[in-house]
Amino acid sequence: MRVALVCSWLNQYGGAERVIEAVHEMWPEAPIYTSIHDPGAMPDAWRRWDIRPSWMNRLPGVNRRHQLYLPLYPFAFETMTLPGYDLVLSISSGFATGVRVPHGLHLSYCLTPPRFLWGYQDYLEREPMAAWQRALLPPVLAGLRAWDHRTARRVDHFLTTAIEVQRRIRDIYGRSATIIHPPVDTDRFQIGDGPGDYLLVVGRLVPYRRIDLAVAACNQLELPLKIVGQGRAREGLEALAGPTVEFLGWRSDEETARLIEGCRALIFPGLEDFGITPLEAQAAGRPVVAYAAGGSLETVVDGETGVLFPEQTVDSLAAALTDLEDRRFDPEVLRRHALRFDKRLFQERLDEQVRGLLAGAVTAD
């Protein structure tokens, strides 16, 4: 079977890229088509992969300032025609569903309809932007939304990560989607010795993730907090941080795993569609303090594998952190919960969907 993979972009490494890794394990010979590719931002092992970026990759400074080229992404995928494949699997959080597949099955694992198009007011309200940029953005986004809605019809069948995204795909595209939870590489983690003495945040430092809430709450309670990750919000977060907050920058997978295993709890303050990191923490027997919305409602069991806080405010998170101090969690229970989302189960379910669709046992919509 000839297989091609398509993804939105490859200029930063995070949860979406872990999904791509799990899929690539299933079809290691499959080429990966994408809009832009920065090899320096990807793990070394990726250098051996067959990655084929679009013409956008030749644009000046595209990997550093990719947001400036937002209107061009649809053209990159419109000009990407992939004949001769039995299966084209797009892993998309923006625009990759628009690739042209004249023959064969186009299956999309939709991480989300693009947040910056369909929830742009909430997504961009915390992004630094000049007044003229905010004035120009609405008509540009309206055109991109029309394109995104139209090209979603090119997909034969949608898969997705979670109930919230399934609802969004139905409401925005008018399409049904089968849920397969994203893969968690639980083998990377082992249960540490006793609860650690610090709280932890892991992820890209961007405004919508609301890491500012974690910093402010730990300032208020004078709790030790370590932050792993890089991103454009780091300077502002450092300005907000008190003496108990430590920024560790980028860390390798091995270093990050050890930091997770040694923490008291992971803080997950953003509204995420799913979120792999909370399950990685649970695989290490560590509880999660998370905002009670989106994917956290599917990955964190309140009072059993963590503490959910109801409002996205400093006081609400601070109350949850105070509550955490009086709770004890069974690390074995936490790890068993995480194993329900293990990478092998993801691969088995994806393989089952592909085989069923190709055989006609599962109907493409």
Side-chain angles (χ1 to χ4, degrees):
M1 178 173 66
R2 292 201 65 202
V3 178
L5 307 179
V6 182
C7 61
S8 300
W9 35 71
L10 291 174
N11 65 333
Q12 53 190 352
Y13 186 74
E17 289 68 37
R18 293 198 185 280
V19 173
I20 295 166
E21 287 176 327
V23 173
H24 188 262
E25 282 185 16
M26 300 173 68
W27 296 289
E29 302 304 318
I32 301 176
Y33 295 86
T34 189
S35 58
I36 59 176
H37 174 219
D38 179 5
M42 299 292 112
D44 289 342
W46 289 46
R47 296 178 188 273
R48 298 188 292 272
W49 297 6
D50 182 2
I51 298 175
R52 306 179 187 184
S54 76
W55 51 266
M56 280 188 68
N57 213 48
R58 298 191 294 272
L59 297 174
V62 70
N63 284 310
R64 295 189 307 275
R65 303 297 299 277
H66 60 276
Q67 297 98 332
L68 296 178
Y69 292 103
L70 179 63
L72 299 184
Y73 286 94
F75 297 104
F77 288 101
E78 283 281 2
T79 55
M80 201 176 289
T81 302
L82 306 182
Y85 292 104
D86 302 297
L87 170 68
V88 173
L89 174 59
S90 59
I91 302 161
S92 181
S93 58
F95 305 123
T97 52
V99 68
R100 294 184 178 274
V101 183
H103 310 291
L105 174 73
H106 182 183
L107 179 61
S108 176
Y109 189 66
C110 183
L111 304 173
T112 179
R115 284 175 173 269
F116 48 84
L117 297 185
W118 298 103
Y120 76 96
Q121 288 179 321
D122 293 335
Y123 183 83
L124 296 176
E125 67 177 359
R126 298 179 180 278
E127 294 287 345
M129 197 177 302
W132 67 267
Q133 291 174 311
R134 291 195 181 276
L136 286 177
L137 204 55
V140 171
L141 294 181
L144 293 175
R145 283 196 298 273
W147 180 89
D148 187 56
H149 187 273
R150 182 176 67 254
T151 57
R153 294 197 292 268
R154 296 176 184 170
V155 174
D156 293 305
H157 188 73
F158 278 96
L159 305 173
T160 195
T161 60
I163 294 171
E164 171 63 22
V165 191
Q166 184 187 52
R167 178 198 61 76
R168 204 176 303 152
I169 290 169
R170 182 189 66 238
D171 293 347
I172 293 171
Y173 298 145
R175 302 290 300 274
S176 62
T178 302
I179 294 175
I180 301 178
H181 292 306
V184 180
D185 190 358
T186 59
D187 289 345
R188 288 178 52 224
F189 302 91
Q190 56 187 359
I191 295 175
D193 298 327
D197 57 0
Y198 59 89
L199 300 165
L200 184 68
V201 167
V202 177
R204 287 194 287 263
L205 307 187
V206 291
Y208 85 91
R209 292 184 180 272
R210 300 308 312 273
I211 297 168
D212 59 301
L213 296 178
V215 172
C218 289
N219 283 348
Q220 179 178 309
L221 298 174
E222 298 182 339
L223 294 174
L225 172 66
K226 297 180 185 292
I227 298 176
V228 175
Q230 292 281 32
R232 60 186 179 275
R234 177 166 177 170
E235 183 177 351
L237 292 170
E238 287 182 327
L240 176 66
T244 65
V245 179
E246 181 182 3
F247 291 82
L248 302 180
W250 180 87
R251 288 290 186 268
S252 69
D253 279 355
E254 292 75 17
E255 291 174 301
T256 301
R258 302 296 84 78
L259 285 163
I260 290 174
E261 291 166 1
C263 73
R264 170 72 179 92
L266 179 88
I267 304 178
F268 197 68
L271 173 59
E272 298 283 354
D273 300 316
F274 186 75
I276 291 175
T277 309
L279 288 165
E280 292 179 335
Q282 292 169 68
R286 295 299 183 239
V288 179
V289 179
Y291 175 45
S296 295
L297 297 176
E298 295 182 65
T299 60
V300 181
V301 182
D302 193 24
E304 184 175 315
T305 70
V307 179
L308 297 175
F309 60 96
E311 298 176 359
Q312 217 171 21
T313 65
V314 174
D315 288 344
S316 186
L317 173 52
L321 292 174
T322 301
D323 184 23
L324 179 76
E325 292 303 307
D326 297 325
R327 292 178 180 265
R328 292 295 176 266
F329 296 89
D330 185 338
E332 295 293 344
V333 170
L334 271 68
R335 182 166 177 83
R336 282 198 298 272
H337 178 70
L339 290 174
R340 296 174 50 228
F341 300 86
D342 186 73
K343 179 176 66 175
R344 285 178 287 270
L345 295 177
F346 165 85
Q347 291 171 328
E348 289 171 7
R349 290 164 185 163
L350 178 57
D351 182 67
E352 180 182 329
Q353 279 291 314
V354 168
R355 291 179 183 276
L357 285 162
L358 291 174
V362 177
T363 304
D365 32 25

